[in-house]
Amino acid sequence: MEQASCANPLLLGWVKEWWDTARERNSKGVTTYKHAYDSLKACPITFGHPSSLQQLKGFGPKLCERLTDKLKQHCEENGLPMPSVPRGKKRGANPAGLGGDDEEDASSGPAKKPRKVKQYVPTYRSGAYALVLALSTLEETSRSGMTKTELIEKAQPHCDSSFTAPSDPTKFYTAWTSMKTLAQKDLVYEKGRPLKKYGLTDEGWEVAKRIRQAAIANGTLAGTETGAGTGAGGVNVPKTVALPASGSGSGNAAATSSARPPHSGGAAVATGVSSRRTATPLTFFVDDNDDDGDDKEDIAARVQNGEYGSVVADGDKVPDDTALPTFTPIRLTPGMFTVELVLDVREVRAKTDRDYMQEELTKKGVKPIMKALELGDALWVAKCNRPGWLARQGAEGDEVVLDWIVERKRLDDLIGSIKDGRFHEQKFRLRRSGVKNVIYLVEEISIDSTHFQKYEEAVQSATASIQVVNGYFLKKTQKMDDTIRYLASMTRLLKKLYEAKPLFVIPTHILTAKNYLPLLKHIREKQPSASHHISYPAFASLASKSDMMTLRDVYLKMLMCTKGVTGEKAVEIQKVWKTPNHFIKALEQCGPGEDGKKQRISLVSTRLGNLVGRKKIPKPVIQKIVEVWGDA
């Protein structure tokens, strides 16, 4: 009855239908449809074309366009001519369809070019993108909807961020936050209390179709399944959109590499020690005690009890290459092993989310082996498919360590390690590990800007040193999810690199802590094309022995505790005074009092005055050394 008394009953009926649907879905568009319905019902003017309705309250370009499509469909079904679009008018002229002559309209001036409304398409593999794809797996005519749990399960494979855990532990935002954006744009409706269910609005279905069209155009649509029905116009809605191949493993992560390729740790040891203090647990290790299962506790206990520590003996110092042992390497042919990622059991996201990295890597098709690593936070091994075969050939265990290791640092942890000296200590231990390719991974999480500004130069200097001085590969990511994608990508890359060629394993019985690095350096110089490796137990044993320092190492560390004394400067001091006792005795001979202090400064300056470049020791640093060691 209400429609019969209206000047535009057909248009009013369609608006009423959409209003009812919006109320049923509890959509935010209810208010807009209500205003449009009320204003159209009260208007006594008959409109010739839906585009003329924009002058009424509640009608915008989008709703008018939708009414135009509906009118066109109505005319085609009933064999009626479609009304022509009214010409543009000057401001203040009669609206189209309200009387007046078309010729008069045409002479009033050129039509104003309508502003093109940009259609919304979510960013590829964002939270909104994944949610729209997941909801589009429902039938378009269905009103059942999905619960949050069901929706997250279907959406997670399409998103690079987690729907359950924030990318930054200090924040509360997850990919699920995108649901608020979709609701604000009226692409998703929710219904039901207390268990909410979600579904796509008509506008949401249009976005889902545009996503599919864009995916087809870009060639990123693969292995898709369609829902139970098809969308309007016969366009199927995708269920699965495959992630395109990426070499970096991170869509938004920045990678920085050194100007020259990484070198072996053996070549770096001869330059001296570049560490300040003994090794301490990394600050991002939330807990020294791991409770992730009996296997992990058993592995940690084995390391602590010295089971790996006794695998490789200390041995005697090797004077030259002629004293190096000869051996026949154990040969692992392709097919006998698979490349696996080994992750440190202490690599946790938070105390309450200890298995996050392991679970996310497994979702990406990379199931890591969890161990309490003696060195680094992740590394890759070749796991022999024949249990016990390596042991029978002369190498312990079933895993062979490859020439790739990752040291992971959050930005706040990097700052902490620079402040307390662990940064140099860890680089020193990595250098002595003999691993050729070291990846120093820095997660640039957001931290307090005031705090970061105090250490910004120190961080820049440290990252430059990692690349230029140490020759390590520097990889920067924005969050833990980017790190996980990078590790998964690296695992796939190393599988292709190693699984198609033979590996040569050095028998453990010929290795000692003293001959390992010289032997490795000698082999790499003589046979650069062949890759020689050691078993994981041997590697863990050698890494544990890197903490067992000689008197020279301790002496250099003591010198480097003085501000301004770098590794190069400490080595030069050690060359003149071989031991701490020699240095202290030499300073004591200068006598007490102010005269003695001047003589001590003169002594050190005279003996070290011919140094140049990075080795040169400034006078203020010499005064500080004399103050520290002269009073010892």
Side-chain angles (χ1 to χ4, degrees), residues 150-330:
E150 295 170 342
L151 185 51
I152 287 176
E153 184 179 351
K154 285 185 174 291
Q156 189 61 74
H158 304 297
C159 184
D160 289 335
S161 300
S162 173
F163 279 91
T164 55
S167 301
D168 184 349
T170 63
K171 307 294 182 185
F172 298 98
Y173 300 104
T174 65
W176 179 258
T177 310
S178 301
M179 178 59 76
K180 183 177 179 181
T181 303
L182 295 176
Q184 288 174 343
K185 293 184 176 293
D186 201 26
L187 302 178
V188 170
Y189 68 88
E190 62 179 52
K191 64 177 183 178
R193 293 291 188 278
L195 186 62
K196 291 183 181 179
K197 289 194 174 183
Y198 301 87
L200 289 176
T201 63
D202 292 335
E203 292 84 356
W205 280 104
E206 292 175 8
V207 171
K209 295 166 192 174
R210 287 201 295 270
I211 289 176
R212 177 183 173 82
Q213 291 168 0
I216 293 174
N218 295 332
T220 58
L221 189 65
T224 59
E225 298 176 8
T226 58
T230 58
V235 180
N236 291 326
V237 183
K239 271 194 176 180
T240 306
V241 177
L243 177 67
S246 172
S248 66
S250 173
N252 59 350
T256 311
S257 63
S258 60
R260 54 195 172 91
H263 55 71
S264 68
V269 173
T271 64
V273 182
S274 59
S275 59
R276 294 194 178 189
R277 302 181 186 177
T278 56
T280 54
L282 300 178
T283 56
F284 55 78
F285 290 173
V286 176
D287 201 337
D288 284 337
N289 299 317
D290 193 271
D291 54 2
D292 286 345
D294 295 337
D295 293 340
K296 297 175 187 176
E297 290 177 356
D298 179 60
I299 292 172
R302 288 166 63 190
V303 176
Q304 292 169 2
N305 293 336
E307 185 174 334
Y308 285 155
S310 61
V311 172
V312 177
D314 290 339
D316 299 323
K317 187 175 180 180
V318 179
D320 51 44
D321 289 353
T322 57
L324 292 173
T326 57
F327 65 94
T328 301
I330 304 167

Side-chain angles (χ1 to χ4, degrees), residues 75-95:
C75 292
E76 289 175 355
E77 291 175 354
N78 295 277
L80 301 174
M82 178 68 183
S84 59
V85 180
R87 304 275 186 126
K89 299 184 181 305
K90 288 185 180 178
R91 196 177 296 248
N94 260 350

Side-chain angles (χ1 to χ4, degrees), residues 25 109 124 140 297 410 415 500 521 535 576:
R25 293 177 174 179
Y124 180 64
E140 188 168 358
E297 290 177 356
R410 287 202 321 261
I415 293 172
K521 182 181 178 183
S535 67
V576 178

Side-chain angles (χ1 to χ4, degrees), residues 6 8 27 114 119 138 242 269 342 356 527 613:
C6 176
N8 303 276
S27 171
Q119 294 178 327
L138 294 170
V269 173
V342 178
Y356 181 77
Q527 303 178 42

Side-chain angles (χ1 to χ4, degrees), residues 338-357:
T338 57
V339 173
E340 305 291 344
L341 171 66
V342 178
L343 193 65
D344 191 274
V345 294
R346 292 159 290 190
E347 283 298 280
V348 299
R349 186 177 175 278
K351 261 187 176 180
T352 57
D353 196 4
R354 304 182 67 85
D355 293 327
Y356 181 77
M357 287 191 75

